[in-house]
Amino acid sequence: MSTRYAEESFHFVNWKDLSYLLDGSPVQIEVHNLLRNYFLFEKLRPYSPILVGTVPIGINVAGSDLDLICEVTDFNAFEAEMFAAFKQEQHFTIVRRVVAGLERIKVNFTLERWPIEIFAQSIRTTEQNGYRHMVVEARLLALFGHAFRAEIIQLKENGFKTEPAFAKALKLEGDPYLKLLELADWTNEQLLALNVAD
């Protein structure tokens, strides 16, 4: 699997431009074509969409889905647009909730073999936790190399979610989701100081 963008130039990736996927693995190329063929980013463009999660950084496993995050201010309008755009797709659902005082909306459906999840809240996409997690995970994969990547993938294949897998590999204690957000503000030197050896 090609991981050029993740292991050599991850810090140059424009995560908003899906063309980086064309430099990746067959799965990443498949995902690029899927998103283009179904015009997902065109339909979501007013909401600053970003593909996050495991596929962009090349640690997807069987059963991984495609996570797209969006910034929304008018949730009623967004819900109506998502219903009109995707109601015909398999396994379509929309769920709205308020968590920690912030409204969020989650749209799920399936395109071909891929489960799709669109997650929206009134926070800039580059400041949402899903994006921040992905960027620091890309940095960690680049800094610690192939063996670390293989360990993360193995943990995920054994049933770990992504952030808990990173926390276990890095021997981080406490809430793995909060710990990864803390690491997002660390320098490369600080990250390299983490003990990942057995």
Side-chain angles (χ1 to χ4, degrees):
M1 178 179 65
S2 170
T3 55
R4 176 192 60 76
Y5 63 90
E7 294 191 351
E8 296 177 12
S9 58
F10 64 92
H11 51 290
F12 296 123
V13 171
N14 177 4
W15 299 106
K16 298 179 182 180
D17 180 353
L18 290 174
S19 63
Y20 72 86
L21 292 169
L22 294 173
D23 291 330
S25 69
V27 167
Q28 290 163 327
I29 294 169
E30 174 192 345
V31 166
H32 173 274
N33 294 335
L34 178 85
L35 297 176
R36 289 301 188 205
N37 291 342
Y38 286 90
F39 303 100
L40 257 68
F41 269 52
E42 286 76 7
K43 293 173 181 177
L44 297 172
R45 182 167 288 130
Y47 306 104
S48 303
I50 302 177
L51 177 68
V52 298
T54 59
V55 170
I57 57 177
I59 56 169
N60 50 289
V61 297
S64 291
D65 61 3
L66 300 180
D67 298 303
L68 296 96
I69 58 172
C70 294
E71 178 186 4
V72 171
T73 53
D74 186 337
F75 284 85
N76 290 331
F78 182 77
E79 182 175 14
E81 284 186 41
M82 295 301 98
F83 186 83
F86 303 115
K87 64 181 178 181
Q88 75 281 1
E89 305 300 345
Q90 289 188 333
H91 311 119
F92 174 81
T93 61
I94 295 181
V95 176
R96 286 173 68 170
R97 297 175 57 202
V98 175
V99 177
L102 286 173
E103 186 165 13
R104 57 177 61 184
I105 188 166
K106 189 172 68 168
V107 183
N108 292 89
F109 52 92
T110 301
L111 292 177
E112 298 181 11
R113 70 183 186 96
W114 286 97
I116 308 291
E117 178 169 299
I118 300 170
F119 176 86
Q121 56 186 166
S122 58
I123 298 175
R124 186 175 301 173
T125 46
T126 54
E127 295 175 2
Q128 291 186 25
N129 288 350
Y131 178 81
R132 296 181 64 211
H133 281 150
M134 179 183 71
V135 171
V136 72
E137 287 158 6
R139 292 175 61 203
L140 289 163
L141 291 167
L143 292 169
F144 291 115
H146 291 288
F148 181 75
R149 175 183 296 274
E151 181 179 3
I152 296 298
I153 292 172
Q154 184 63 58
L155 286 167
K156 288 181 61 58
E157 289 176 341
N158 290 342
F160 278 77
K161 297 291 188 181
T162 302
E163 284 72 23
F166 275 86
K168 182 172 179 60
L170 295 169
K171 301 177 175 61
L172 302 176
E173 297 182 358
D175 185 318
Y177 297 90
L178 295 179
K179 289 297 182 180
L180 265 292
L181 290 178
E182 290 176 15
L183 297 189
D185 296 323
W186 286 23
T187 65
N188 286 349
E189 290 72 23
Q190 287 174 309
L191 293 175
L192 283 168
L194 289 167
N195 178 18
V196 297
D198 291 332

